[in-house]
Structure formats: structure tokens, C-alpha cells
Amino acid sequence: DIQLTQSPSFLSASIGDRVTLTCRASQGITPYLAWYQQKPGKAPKLLIYPASTLQSGVPSRFSGSGSGTEFTLTISSLQPEDFATYYCQQLNSFPPWTFGQGTTVEIK
Amino acid sequence: EVQLLESGGGLVQPGGSLRLSCAASGFTFNNNAMSWVRQAPGKGLEWVSTISASAGSTYYTDSVKGRFTISRDNSKNTLSLQMNSLRVEDAAVYYCARLSEGAAPAAADFWGQGALVTVSS
């Protein structure tokens, strides 16, 4: 099974900050990497798939990049509504479709 | 408007059974593969099972193989998950998720609100 490791697990940032979240895979998965956002008590929302394609309606401050085994999600200017937990998911090799353990972005 | 409404969650004793349903609307249900993803309290997301659009193919995570069965009724726009021999570690919010149309592999582009399953004696 492909393992995904997200870093950091927890990130404290301020409004307007540029933040970068990383997802590392145990083997190459280009470009089949998705990013989801989850707010407390809510269902996840697909932000980016494949690795660098923004889903319709997602603000342009979000961007995805990477290839091979290392991928990043960048928020160019953090907004109040962006404080949430972010998960990566690989779809290259299935089953299983694995998720990373998540990165929680909180207000500094 | 796309809607996925889960039902059937609840409290069950270890070893018991539960059937989750997901009523889909707002899209052509038989065009999309569908998945169940769960989230234990305070934990991350875990993929559970996927069924193809035609129901011809099904996939399960190892921990539920032989205990859970995914199915769909395309005439009723309904996805189901039959869960037998439930264990304490199966307790979670179970999300129904639509996989995007088009070229595979597809990501989950729309999710239901979730159904809570509690397994306890």
C-alpha cells in the first residue's frame, strides 16, 4: 500500500500569511494526488485534483504543485475561512485509496 | 443541486449489523462511481469501499473485507453499505461520496453530511 505523510501535522498562522502544506508519498503517484479541506463537523471538500488542477469554485489563492513523491498545497494569503484541516489522498494505486493524516491550520 | 443524504446510522452492539443508505439527487447517479469514507472520532479520513457506476466492480479496505458489502440501486438513485460483525473500531462517521465523472481514477468531488455509527456494549 502507498503511504502518505503530511507535514506539518499542525500549523499556526495569521491572516494574510502564505502557508505551504506538504504531502509525501511512499512511492511515485504523479499526478493522482487530491487535496481536501475539512472544517469541524462538516464533510470534506475537494480543492485540487489532479495534483495542480483547482476545482471549480475554489478560490485562486489555493494552488497545488509537485510530482513523483512530493506534493504541496499553498495558500497564498490565508483568509479566516481557510482555518481547517487539510488532507491529501492518493488515487494512483488502488485499492486502497489512502489519505494522509491531515494538517490542521489554526489561527495564531 | 447535488445532494447526498445518508441515513441508517445509530448505536449497535459489537457483533451486530447496520445498513447505511445514501440517497442521491441532482445528478445522473448511474454516471458516477460512489464510495464510502469513514472518520473515527477525532481521527483522519479512511477510505472504506467503492463501487463502479454500473455496480460491476467493488473494492474494500482490508479491515472490512468479508464483513461489509457495498451496493447500489441505479433505478432508485441509492447507495448502500451493509455492515455485519461490527467491531468497536468500526465506530465512525460514515460519509457517502460521489466520484467525479470522466477519466479514472476519480476523486470524491461531492460528499454527504455523514452518518454516525456507534459500536458499544
Side-chain angles (χ1 to χ4, degrees):
Chain A
D1 298 355
I2 296 177
Q3 309 301 316
L4 297 179
T5 303
Q6 292 187 242
S7 60
S9 296
F10 180 87
L11 188 159
S12 182
S14 301
I15 302 297
D17 283 354
R18 178 183 181 90
V19 299
T20 299
L21 285 57
T22 299
C23 178
R24 290 187 175 87
S26 57
Q27 62 190 74
I29 58 172
T30 304
Y32 303 117
L33 192 283
W35 288 98
Y36 299 89
Q37 176 193 65
Q38 187 181 33
K39 298 181 180 179
K42 300 295 185 181
K45 173 187 174 183
L46 179 64
L47 298 177
I48 291 172
Y49 182 71
S52 59
T53 301
L54 209 62
Q55 293 296 296
S56 176
V58 176
S60 59
R61 62 181 180 274
F62 291 91
S63 64
S65 64
S67 63
T69 61
E70 186 158 333
F71 299 84
T72 59
L73 172 68
T74 299
I75 309 173
S76 60
S77 178
L78 202 60
Q79 298 302 300
E81 60 268 30
D82 301 337
F83 292 95
T85 299
Y86 294 84
Y87 294 94
C88 58
Q89 181 197 26
Q90 71 82 20
L91 296 141
N92 180 72
S93 174
F94 63 91
W97 285 272
T98 45
F99 289 91
Q101 83 280 12
T103 294
T104 298
V105 178
E106 289 203 353
I107 301 173
K108 181 184 286 185
Chain B
E1 178 192 6
V2 174
Q3 287 197 5
L4 296 172
L5 294 176
E6 299 98 336
S7 60
L11 173 64
V12 62
Q13 292 186 338
S17 297
L18 213 55
R19 186 178 182 89
L20 301 181
S21 295
C22 173
S25 60
F27 64 102
T28 305
F29 184 66
N30 59 15
N31 282 353
N32 296 79
M34 300 291 294
S35 291
W36 290 98
V37 176
R38 67 185 178 185
Q39 186 169 37
K43 303 297 184 182
L45 301 172
E46 180 186 20
W47 169 78
V48 174
S49 182
T50 294
I51 187 167
S52 64
S54 66
S57 299
T58 58
Y59 309 90
Y60 300 93
T61 193
D62 283 349
S63 64
V64 309
K65 281 181 185 174
R67 301 189 298 122
F68 290 13
T69 302
I70 191 172
S71 61
R72 64 191 295 161
D73 185 337
N74 286 345
S75 68
K76 296 182 179 179
N77 292 354
T78 301
L79 174 72
S80 298
L81 185 68
Q82 177 66 44
M83 304 185 293
N84 298 331
S85 302
L86 280 161
R87 304 169 180 169
V88 170
E89 57 265 32
D90 294 319
V93 173
Y94 284 72
Y95 292 102
C96 162
R98 182 185 79 171
L99 302 191
S100 56
E101 274 189 74
D109 66 352
F110 198 85
W111 299 60
Q113 86 288 350
L116 178 63
V117 172
T118 303
V119 184
S120 174
S121 53

